[in-house]
Each structure stands twice: as C-alpha cells, then as structure tokens.
Amino acid sequence: VQLQASGGGLVQAGGSLRLSCAASGKFRDIDRMAWFRRPPGKQRELVASITSGGRTNYADSVKGRFTISRDNAKNAVYLQMDSLKPEDTSVYYCNAAIFPTRAGFTNDYWGQGTQVTVSS
C-alpha cells in the first residue's frame, strides 16, 4: 500500500493551495484519513482529519481557512488551504488508517510529504 501526495508549492500570503493524496495497492478499506505537518524546527502536528463517514476535525490554527475532504471511490483525501499565512509553511504529510485485505484492524500509512511555502 502506498500514499502518493501532490499539490505543494510556493504561494504568497493570502493565497490558496490544494493538496491531494491517493492510496494505491491491495487493501480492503480505508478508515480515517488525515493531513499532518512538521513546521521547521517543530514537532509534527495534526492539521485535519476525516473519518470514512465524513466527520472532520481541524487544528485550531487552521479552522475556517482549511477544508479537508475525501473521495472514497478514488481512495483519495484532499486539503484545500485558503488564506494561507507564512506560519503555514511546512512539509505536509497525508496519513491513512487502512484495513488490510483480511484483517479487522488498521495499519497506519504515510505519504512522502509535500512542501508548502508561504511567502509574506
């Protein structure tokens, strides 16, 4: 199973970016999907998560500016980032809890990370 993320880049403060991440490989289903980030010199932090039923959760720092969504048919998760600020600069990682083909538990998978840089 692999997670492939894309969509990072350089944007001016106030701008927007959309991150995408798709799971591929052999698996039964996907439970929670999420985006994390690791700002320079800081610990990794949860940005947003979404359950298979569509329930979302956001870090306080991004509420009202970021929107997480998913397309279960495409095994994909997205992060629409609006009103970006310089402090949003980070490497962003997608994460998914995935059910293997025959097990009742999930395994945790991570994408390769995509750089988001917001200039002031």
Side-chain angles (χ1 to χ4, degrees):
V1 177
Q2 288 188 325
L3 296 180
Q4 182 67 42
S6 62
L10 173 64
V11 65
Q12 287 189 331
S16 297
L17 282 174
R18 179 178 167 89
L19 304 183
S20 301
C21 177
S24 62
K26 191 174 182 181
F27 52 89
R28 181 166 63 85
D29 202 359
I30 302 177
D31 194 7
R32 190 190 80 154
M33 304 186 83
W35 289 94
F36 286 77
R37 67 186 181 188
R38 181 179 285 139
K42 296 185 179 181
Q43 299 267 4
R44 185 175 63 195
E45 61 185 21
L46 175 68
V47 177
S49 65
I50 184 167
T51 67
S52 57
R55 188 168 66 249
T56 59
N57 180 56
Y58 295 92
D60 287 343
S61 59
V62 307
K63 281 180 181 176
R65 300 188 298 120
F66 291 11
T67 303
I68 190 170
S69 61
R70 64 190 284 173
D71 185 333
N72 292 331
K74 295 182 178 180
N75 297 317
V77 62
Y78 309 98
L79 186 68
Q80 177 66 41
M81 304 184 293
D82 298 319
S83 301
L84 282 160
K85 303 176 180 180
E87 51 263 44
D88 294 318
T89 294
S90 183
V91 178
Y92 284 72
Y93 299 89
C94 61
N95 167 264
I98 295 178
F99 289 98
T101 53
R102 281 177 288 184
F105 56 86
T106 58
N107 290 329
D108 222 26
Y109 293 91
W110 293 89
Q112 81 281 16
T114 183
Q115 177 70 45
V116 170
T117 302
V118 184
S119 63
S120 56

